[in-house]
Amino acid sequence: MTKQISVFIENRKGRLGEILDVLKEAGVNILSLSLSDTAEYGLLRILSDKPKDGKEALSKAGFSCMLSDVFIINLPHTPGSLQNILRVIADEELNVEYMYGLSFGGDEASIVVKTSDIEKAEDVFARHAIKTLGEESCM
Amino acid sequence: MIWSKEETLSRAEMEKLQLERLQETVKRVYEKVPYYRAKMDEKGVKPEDIKTLQDLQKLPFTTKQDMRDTYPFGLFAVPRDEIVRIHASSGTTGKPTVVGYTRGDLDTWTDCVSRIACMGGATSKDVSQICFGYGMFTGALGLHYGLENIGSAIVPSSTGNSEKQLMYMKDFNTTLLVATPSYALRLAEVAREIGIDPKTDLSIKTALVGSELLTDAMREEMHLAWGRDVNITSNYGMSELMGPGVSGECLEHCGMHINEDYFLPEIIDSVTGEVLPAGEKGELVITCIKKEGLPLIRYRTKDVTRLFYEPCACGRTTCRMENLSGRSDDMLKIRGVNVFPGQIEEVVLSVEELGPHYEIIVEREGYTDKLTVRVELNKETDSFAELQRIEKVTKNKLKVVLGLDAKIRLESPNTLQRFEGKAKRIKDLRKVNTKGEGK
């Protein structure tokens, strides 16, 4: 399991830049991010080398943000490998809130998965030998 | 503690005193203020026609417009020489209204504010920090002298520099806070940001708030921020009448006691001008019956309230006015519906995932008014479902209270403007292109 920073962000010019400025000042390096939005606002999700520092700096700067637990699943960089994992998730009726991709380069790819039931997810991934990255591997 | 014996007079004694003072005042303005003499002559009423308190109804009203027409000193009833202090309203909607005080008026003012401070729980042991802007605004100096008069130590810190305000508050062991409700909340917010817990690290026991409406929800929000044990009372006044000190809440929290030996109240229908019986809601009209410099006759306050004459459990017998439900000129008309900003505030404060600050935007799209309420998110979340739930709850509550659909705009904490004086939370953009309409 890995800590992700989730930030509430209004759809307003320059708002994303302000967040990135805060992270830069705090010396936090971004590994991956996903921005989803509605017409008025969005949620920015960030994987970084220092999630706690990043969250603290953003809170101090007045942003509404929190740390959430997500799974990073490694998978081979080949056609169909994502499908295999999603089939397991569907068969096991694991509820996925959202997911996005992450690549460190090389032969393996990763997806970031947020589920509503962490214990069940850990159990499902273990039983199906699905490899997830621990907190330390993300740094 | 009850400061003055006039606060416990029997109804008969009070009415006797009021009639004497009213007759004296009417006679004086008729003789000394040409503007009033002309108005009274026009209505065909002479000072000697005022034989009972009911005869007050024969006198003409005074409005803000009258004060503007006679700007700056036209309604003064004494030679300029006898005026020892001049204040003015902010004048955001036109020329400021100018008020002048004689030495006697300043004593009266001090006495009125001392009474209100005591009603709210102030004592000579208090250290009182006045977080109202000093200057032409009457709020700061009014509370300043009234509290000093009862023996409290005054910290005239004015507004601005919230961190320094909190430093004084902590280092001087300030026990009494004077501020607008929104600035009191802002101070608590800044305190938490810099690591001070207002409930445990500061010594505030009494808050005298004014210059803005104090809704029940706002009072609750202040208790959450400053502590359950803090006595929070609102007080009422306006510069035209004197400044703060016209009325104030006692610790029974059942309306604001009017200093009616100085300010004779009436409630009228704001459209017909007809006087309404006690207990009915309408516009508050005040006659100043013991003022020398600027004794206004039947001044229309534009504030909407009700009057109660039953004696209060606190021991005072003075007439009480209900905490204000709004100003007749703050009211917005949106799609034909009357909306008071206070109603929107009640809703915003009742949703715990939202902060206490808000902004109301009214626009016109085609022929339809559009209401948007900007609010600050007070909950951290990683879920759109949760954000949508918060929006929906707020929207539904507004629909129930106002009968109107509003658009909710969620914003990050600390995005909306904070106010140190009177909060300006309404943006009526309809007025820009539709002259004569809007609020």
Side-chain angles (χ1 to χ4, degrees):
Chain A
M1 243 174 7
T2 304
K3 295 280 182 207
Q4 166 199 271
I5 310 171
S6 310
V7 197
F8 174 84
I9 176 171
E10 299 94 334
N11 279 0
R12 204 163 53 217
K13 202 177 158 189
R15 205 61 179 141
L16 183 58
E18 288 170 31
I19 295 178
L20 297 180
D21 271 347
V22 172
L23 293 178
K24 182 178 142 196
E25 283 297 307
V28 175
N29 191 27
I30 298 172
L31 303 171
S32 178
L33 64 77
S34 141
L35 176 58
S36 5
D37 65 325
T38 66
E40 304 290 329
Y41 55 78
L43 284 166
L44 177 67
R45 284 133 179 170
I46 302 167
L47 283 183
S48 67
D49 58 344
K50 285 176 249 165
K52 277 190 191 115
D53 294 359
K55 194 256 160 198
E56 222 162 86
L58 285 169
S59 290
K60 217 168 169 185
F63 287 95
S64 173
C65 63
M66 65 182 289
L67 289 176
S68 22
D69 292 315
V70 293
F71 290 98
I72 299 178
I73 301 174
N74 279 349
L75 63 171
H77 225 321
T78 52
S81 57
L82 178 58
Q83 174 69 2
N84 292 338
I85 287 170
L86 292 182
R87 188 173 304 121
V88 171
I89 289 177
D91 289 347
E92 295 276 357
E93 292 180 355
L94 193 60
N95 180 32
V96 172
E97 289 182 15
Y98 56 83
M99 59 194 290
Y100 55 95
L102 164 69
S103 175
F104 295 113
D107 294 337
E108 285 208 318
S110 308
I111 52 164
V112 181
V113 178
K114 172 78 181 356
T115 73
S116 43
D117 189 341
I118 290 171
E119 276 176 34
K120 183 175 174 187
E122 281 176 331
D123 172 60
V124 168
F125 296 151
R127 279 193 286 107
H128 291 273
I130 293 172
K131 213 168 82 187
T132 63
L133 286 183
E135 207 166 331
E136 69 285 358
S137 338
C138 193
M139 311 256 170
Chain B
M1 177 198 167
I2 296 176
W3 183 255
S4 294
K5 66 174 190 333
E6 285 81 1
E7 296 173 82
T8 55
L9 294 180
S10 71
R11 188 69 0 225
E13 290 169 319
M14 177 60 82
E15 287 180 359
K16 183 167 172 282
L17 181 63
Q18 286 175 327
L19 182 60
E20 281 167 21
R21 290 184 173 179
L22 174 67
Q23 286 170 327
E24 189 281 321
T25 300
V26 172
K27 189 163 174 285
R28 191 155 41 87
V29 296
Y30 189 79
E31 284 164 8
K32 306 262 170 79
V33 187
Y35 192 84
Y36 271 127
R37 177 192 283 261
K39 272 191 126 185
M40 282 172 64
D41 285 345
E42 198 184 309
K43 275 204 119 193
V45 52
K46 294 266 175 282
E48 46 279 17
D49 295 334
I50 308 302
K51 297 190 176 75
T52 68
L53 282 179
Q54 278 63 46
D55 293 333
L56 179 61
Q57 299 182 23
K58 296 177 180 163
L59 294 167
F61 291 116
T62 309
T63 63
K64 204 168 186 116
Q65 192 55 46
D66 291 317
M67 299 192 72
R68 293 205 177 113
D69 291 346
T70 55
Y71 175 89
F73 303 148
L75 290 178
F76 286 13
V78 295
R80 227 293 293 121
D81 211 28
E82 286 177 39
I83 296 292
V84 297
R85 177 96 64 80
I86 293 167
H87 279 282
S89 73
S90 52
T92 40
T93 50
K95 266 221 191 280
T97 46
V98 178
V99 295
Y101 304 75
T102 63
R103 195 161 295 285
D105 288 335
L106 290 181
D107 291 342
T108 301
W109 189 13
T110 297
D111 181 50
C112 284
V113 178
S114 294
R115 293 183 191 180
I116 266 108
C118 290
M119 282 181 213
T123 72
S124 61
K125 294 191 175 60
D126 277 309
V127 176
S128 304
Q129 196 160 327
I130 317 278
C131 305
F132 273 160
Y134 280 73
M136 295 308 273
F137 169 58
T138 51
L141 286 168
L143 267 304
H144 180 118
Y145 287 109
L147 281 159
E148 199 171 74
N149 188 39
I150 67 169
S152 155
I154 304 298
V155 182
S157 58
S158 195
T159 52
N161 202 343
S162 301
E163 293 193 18
K164 187 159 263 176
Q165 297 267 11
L166 289 157
M167 183 190 84
Y168 294 144
M169 219 170 266
K170 193 158 185 271
D171 297 349
F172 302 168
N173 280 320
T174 300
T175 54
L176 187 149
L177 170 68
V178 172
T180 61
S182 47
Y183 190 52
L185 285 177
R186 174 63 187 153
L187 276 173
E189 197 173 54
V190 175
R192 289 189 297 265
E193 276 166 24
I194 60 173
I196 294 176
D197 181 347
K199 284 183 255 190
T200 52
D201 301 335
L202 300 175
S203 319
I204 299 293
K205 292 188 179 51
T206 305
L208 303 178
V209 301
S211 155
E212 244 177 53
L213 296 187
L214 177 69
T215 60
D216 288 344
M218 195 73 149
R219 193 198 299 269
E220 178 57 24
E221 200 71 28
M222 279 187 67
H223 275 303
L224 288 174
W226 286 94
R228 203 42 69 188
D229 306 335
V230 175
N231 285 321
I232 301 166
T233 55
S234 63
N235 59 78
Y236 172 82
M238 54 178 58
S239 62
E240 298 92 309
L241 299 175
M242 191 171 65
V246 173
S247 68
E249 247 183 324
C250 67
L251 298 177
E252 299 292 329
H253 299 296
C254 53
M256 296 185 281
H257 289 274
I258 300 177
N259 284 320
E260 51 170 336
D261 49 328
Y262 295 124
F263 303 101
L264 187 53
E266 296 171 278
I267 295 290
I268 63 160
D269 179 317
S270 63
V271 179
T272 64
E274 192 191 330
V275 176
L276 301 175
E280 287 205 27
K281 201 168 201 151
E283 182 180 336
L284 178 70
V285 171
I286 296 272
T287 300
C288 301
I289 50 175
K290 188 75 177 125
K291 274 195 64 196
E292 297 168 351
L294 183 63
L296 295 184
I297 304 294
R298 301 193 85 198
Y299 186 68
R300 295 189 57 161
T301 65
K302 303 263 186 185
D303 285 317
V304 178
T305 184
R306 298 194 285 174
L307 298 179
F308 303 103
Y309 287 88
E310 297 78 29
C312 177
C314 72
R316 291 177 184 82
T317 53
T318 43
C319 166
R320 283 167 289 136
M321 58 187 264
E322 192 175 56
N323 280 21
L324 299 181
S325 47
R327 281 180 64 75
S328 58
D329 57 358
D330 259 356
M331 194 181 74
L332 292 160
K333 207 159 187 111
I334 304 174
R335 276 173 254 154
V337 179
N338 293 343
V339 174
F340 285 107
Q343 295 175 295
I344 295 177
E345 176 170 310
E346 293 270 350
V347 169
V348 171
L349 294 173
S350 73
V351 180
E352 74 180 299
E353 293 88 352
L354 300 179
H357 301 272
Y358 62 93
E359 185 182 77
I360 299 165
I361 302 168
V362 192
E363 295 156 289
R364 180 157 292 165
E365 265 183 10
Y367 293 103
T368 317
D369 297 330
K370 216 179 93 195
L371 170 65
T372 304
V373 182
R374 292 176 70 196
V375 288
E376 289 181 359
L377 192 60
N378 195 24
K379 188 193 180 191
E380 286 131 15
T381 180
D382 181 31
S383 150
F384 277 107
E386 175 63 7
L387 291 170
Q388 276 153 8
R389 190 191 64 77
I390 297 169
E391 266 185 290
K392 206 171 157 195
V393 166
T394 314
K395 203 177 153 72
N396 289 347
K397 284 190 168 190
L398 280 173
K399 174 95 189 176
V400 170
V401 171
L402 307 177
L404 279 175
D405 277 314
K407 187 182 166 74
I408 308 302
R409 228 162 81 196
L410 292 179
E411 312 257 355
S412 297
N414 279 307
T415 314
L416 298 175
Q417 199 183 339
R418 302 302 198 251
F419 299 94
E420 287 168 355
K422 253 182 204 176
K424 296 181 196 74
R425 303 185 193 276
I426 304 166
K427 266 194 195 156
D428 196 341
L429 305 174
R430 295 175 297 186
K431 276 179 280 184
V432 180
N433 39 25
T434 23
K435 220 181 159 198
E437 292 197 36
K439 67 174 183 179

